[in-house]
Amino acid sequence: MAGEFELIERYFTGRGALRDDVAVGVGDDGAVLSVPAGQQLVAVADTIVDRVHFPVGSDPADVGHRALAVNLSDLAAMGAVPAWATVCLTLPTGDEAWCEAFAAGFDALARAHGVALVGGDTTRGPLAISVQLLGLVPAGQALTRRGARPGDLVYVTGWPGDAAAGLALLQGRLAGQGADRSWLVRRFRRPEPRVEFGVRLRGLASACIDVSDGLAVDLGRLAASSGVAALLRADAVPLSRALYALAGEAGAREFALGGGDDYELLFTVPLARRGDLAGLQGPGAPALHCIGEIAAGHGLKVRAGGVDLPVRGYDHFPD
Amino acid sequence: MAGEFELIERYFTGRGALRDDVAVGVGDDGAVLSVPAGQQLVAVADTIVDRVHFPVGSDPADVGHRALAVNLSDLAAMGAVPAWATVCLTLPTGDEAWCEAFAAGFDALARAHGVALVGGDTTRGPLAISVQLLGLVPAGQALTRRGARPGDLVYVTGWPGDAAAGLALLQGRLAGQGADRSWLVRRFRRPEPRVEFGVRLRGLASACIDVSDGLAVDLGRLAASSGVAALLRADAVPLSRALYALAGEAGAREFALGGGDDYELLFTVPLARRGDLAGLQGPGAPALHCIGEIAAGHGLKVRAGGVDLPVRGYDHFPD
């Protein structure tokens, strides 16, 4: 087994994209990075923990992908272009095969998004990974959760609920086989953050958040940050064919409203500008559905067939 | 017990210094930060884990201090001025008293160094804290580990070994009472990173590293990064009065050479510029001692009384 220092050097040096703006990368006390004039820095940080955010025995390449993906999704919600990452990896043992696969999963997604791995550390302890990701956005153009106004429409990208159903399949809480199972499990194992789409929402979305803890909970957060009320029309929430097939309509809707780990974007657009969304669609762009609206006041209502539903979501520390 | 979201809001909003360059702070998907023209960004990230980096039952205010201090020390070694931090806190339970004390310990040190807490997350899991810290340095002026050249002299700030002896006292591996014990234990519990001094070393030190894993090991790293050999004169390593009193000369030297957690700066200065160090001394500046020299070649020698000693240090994953 190699020493900590050698592990870091061996598995993390040169990972991710090569970038000219990295003056000093992995292997010093810190990384030295050049921020272009006219750009602001966007900083996000998220931890994933064994048995909390991924099941026991997960493929380490999936874990490497997830550790970066959850952070890319946060940058996507800000409309930022990813640039540089640091990784703090806590491992029970210096398992070289695990590190190699983890680094490969991280690396592939990092290269796809132009992210250089510039630093971090490796520590002995219970398995957990904290990634800090830095991105760039033209000054004053970052998306936030705060700008939703009464009358705005609420949209979501893609197919919420798929990832939660994929986890339920892996944990035996949902049954299913074949292509539908494969689709849903892959949606959990390999979330695809909506980075390019987030950039295209700059100047159009009035507020944006990524769906990490569930559509309803995250819409409630967006509304609270904006100081407005939100109505979520459950009947309008899109359901993937696979989710519908394996969970049935009621189950599918429950996964879509309350399930976490979607990493879709949930955003608001002023009514007068809804037509501009058409310009964002096309090959490679995610599906878009209008699922609600913003009103004056505060709080979240979830309505299905004219009836208000209770709001549920995921909370690491339930009351 | 409050939910995760409320915990984050309650204990981490508004912590650290207030800074005009934080356009969006805690409470959104990411922080939006303005980097001044002519400055480069320096990014560091370090994790501390329960029972690995601090003893069971540590005062949470000490843990909050330590989580930031180890990262401030990395910035100090780069000659950077600290600016913005994110904290990823993994906790077994949503213990509010612990969080409050942790945040207070973090906050006091952050304010002292002008650091704003701009984001992060709170997750359920085994106790660990990852801090990512961003600092600023005039473009091209960052200190690195790479610039040491044959003939340079090696210096260390302060009193290496004190912190390791303080931990040994807490763990019963070393005996002692009174003012000496208090001094050493405090040096472990409340490391004071040499941030201001690191900034003053810009343009003078040819290479710099912070002493986190032991004087000998970290000098070996600096030499390896610079592609040179280093000689550490053990007889010249300063020993604090308290360390000498409780550990005796041989024990004190062992703590000073091999103990971790010092967070002193270890740096090299060209022989011709040694006189310029005088300008860095004075009230508030750390003690400085010349403890070795750089030569052509590679590797580290530790010499005491003309005899070469074996090199030891701390490694999380020993061979």
Side-chain angles (χ1 to χ4, degrees), chain B residues 36-90:
Chain B
Q39 299 279 311
Q40 281 178 310
L41 190 68
V42 181
V44 304
D46 254 322
T47 303
I48 61 171
V49 177
D50 189 28
R51 298 166 200 243
V52 177
H53 300 95
F54 51 92
V56 171
S58 289
D59 180 339
D62 288 346
V63 177
H65 178 101
R66 171 171 297 273
L68 180 58
V70 300
N71 283 283
L72 284 168
S73 184
D74 282 327
L75 281 191
M78 307 293 290
V81 176
W84 312 295
T86 58
V87 176
C88 294
L89 178 58
T90 305

Side-chain angles (χ1 to χ4, degrees), chain B residues 13-319:
Chain B
T13 301
R15 293 294 183 166
L18 279 173
R19 294 180 64 100
D20 290 341
D21 51 17
V22 178
V24 177
V26 170
D28 217 299
D29 286 283
V32 182
L33 309 166
S34 300
V35 176
Q39 299 279 311
Q40 281 178 310
L41 190 68
V42 181
V44 304
D46 254 322
T47 303
I48 61 171
V49 177
D50 189 28
R51 298 166 200 243
V52 177
H53 300 95
F54 51 92
V56 171
S58 289
D59 180 339
D62 288 346
V63 177
H65 178 101
R66 171 171 297 273
L68 180 58
V70 300
N71 283 283
L72 284 168
S73 184
D74 282 327
L75 281 191
M78 307 293 290
V81 176
W84 312 295
T86 58
V87 176
C88 294
L89 178 58
T90 305
L91 281 174
T93 62
D95 179 337
E96 296 189 40
W98 196 95
C99 284
E100 174 63 36
F102 173 88
F106 186 97
D107 182 63
L109 188 62
R111 286 175 193 263
H113 288 280
V115 173
L117 179 58
V118 298
D121 68 347
T122 308
T123 308
R124 180 190 287 280
L127 180 60
I129 307 101
S130 290
V131 171
Q132 303 78 29
L133 184 62
L134 300 170
L136 299 168
V137 68
Q141 294 187 33
L143 302 174
T144 71
R145 300 178 180 180
R146 305 187 215 167
R149 294 293 169 261
D152 288 359
L153 299 175
V154 178
Y155 288 84
V156 70
T157 60
W159 307 102
D162 280 6
L167 177 59
L169 284 163
L170 289 174
Q171 294 180 332
R173 292 182 285 109
L174 180 66
Q177 296 300 332
D180 291 333
R181 179 189 176 94
S182 301
W183 165 266
L184 295 173
V185 166
R186 183 167 177 87
R187 291 268 290 160
F188 172 75
R189 291 176 51 224
R190 295 286 175 134
E192 291 293 342
R194 304 295 190 183
V195 175
E196 293 77 8
F197 192 77
V199 168
R200 301 179 76 186
L201 284 177
R202 287 183 204 150
L204 175 54
S206 51
C208 189
I209 189 171
D210 78 314
V211 184
S212 54
D213 291 342
L215 201 53
V217 165
D218 287 319
L219 180 56
R221 288 178 178 160
L222 183 151
S225 293
S226 293
V228 296
L231 172 68
L232 177 51
R233 298 190 186 281
D235 300 329
V237 171
L239 302 174
S240 76
R241 203 190 55 77
L243 180 61
Y244 194 94
L246 294 195
E249 181 164 356
R253 205 154 308 279
E254 193 167 328
F255 280 119
L257 292 176
D261 295 320
D262 285 321
Y263 305 110
E264 298 290 356
L265 294 182
L266 179 65
F267 60 97
T268 57
V269 173
L271 185 62
R273 298 204 56 196
R274 65 190 299 183
D276 295 343
L277 283 172
L280 305 190
Q281 293 180 297
L288 284 186
H289 292 87
C290 180
I291 60 168
E293 58 206 57
I294 300 296
H298 61 91
L300 171 71
K301 277 194 176 160
V302 181
R303 194 168 292 165
V307 179
D308 290 346
L309 304 180
V311 175
R312 278 180 289 186
Y314 184 66
D315 191 320
H316 299 299
F317 298 113
D319 287 323

Side-chain angles (χ1 to χ4, degrees), chain A residues 1-7 21 23-25 27-35 39-49 52-53 73-75 77-78 84 86-95 118-128 130-132 134 137 142-146 208-210 213 221 225 314-319, chain B residues 1-7 21 23-25 27-35 39-49 52-53 73-75 77-78 84 86-94 118-128 130-134 137 142-146 208-210 213 221 225 314-319:
Chain A
M1 194 183 295
E4 177 203 22
F5 190 61
E6 286 67 38
L7 268 180
D21 51 17
V24 176
D28 218 299
D29 286 283
V32 182
L33 309 166
S34 300
V35 176
Q39 300 278 310
Q40 281 178 309
L41 191 68
V42 182
V44 304
D46 254 322
T47 303
I48 61 172
V49 177
V52 178
H53 299 95
S73 185
D74 282 326
L75 281 192
M78 307 293 289
W84 311 295
T86 57
V87 176
C88 294
L89 178 58
T90 306
L91 281 176
T93 62
D95 179 337
V118 298
D121 68 346
T122 308
T123 307
R124 180 190 287 278
L127 181 58
S130 291
V131 171
Q132 185 203 33
L134 299 170
V137 68
L143 302 173
T144 70
R145 301 177 179 180
R146 307 187 216 167
C208 188
I209 189 172
D210 78 316
D213 291 342
R221 287 177 181 162
S225 293
Y314 184 67
D315 192 320
H316 300 297
F317 298 112
D319 286 325
Chain B
M1 196 182 295
E4 178 203 20
F5 190 62
E6 286 67 38
L7 268 180
D21 51 17
V24 177
D28 217 299
D29 286 283
V32 182
L33 309 166
S34 300
V35 176
Q39 299 279 311
Q40 281 178 310
L41 190 68
V42 181
V44 304
D46 254 322
T47 303
I48 61 171
V49 177
V52 177
H53 300 95
S73 184
D74 282 327
L75 281 191
M78 307 293 290
W84 312 295
T86 58
V87 176
C88 294
L89 178 58
T90 305
L91 281 174
T93 62
V118 298
D121 68 347
T122 308
T123 308
R124 180 190 287 280
L127 180 60
S130 290
V131 171
Q132 303 78 29
L133 184 62
L134 300 170
V137 68
L143 302 174
T144 71
R145 300 178 180 180
R146 305 187 215 167
C208 189
I209 189 171
D210 78 314
D213 291 342
R221 288 178 178 160
S225 293
Y314 184 66
D315 191 320
H316 299 299
F317 298 113
D319 287 323

Side-chain angles (χ1 to χ4, degrees), chain A residues 156 158-162 164-165 174 184 211 214-217 232-260 262 289-291 302-313:
Chain A
V156 70
W159 308 101
D162 280 7
L174 179 66
L184 295 174
V211 184
L215 203 51
V217 165
L232 176 52
R233 297 191 187 282
D235 300 329
V237 172
L239 303 174
S240 77
R241 203 189 56 76
L243 180 60
Y244 193 93
L246 294 195
E249 181 164 354
R253 205 153 309 279
E254 194 165 327
F255 280 119
L257 292 177
D262 286 321
H289 292 88
C290 180
I291 59 167
V302 181
R303 194 167 291 165
V307 179
D308 289 346
L309 304 179
V311 175
R312 280 180 288 185

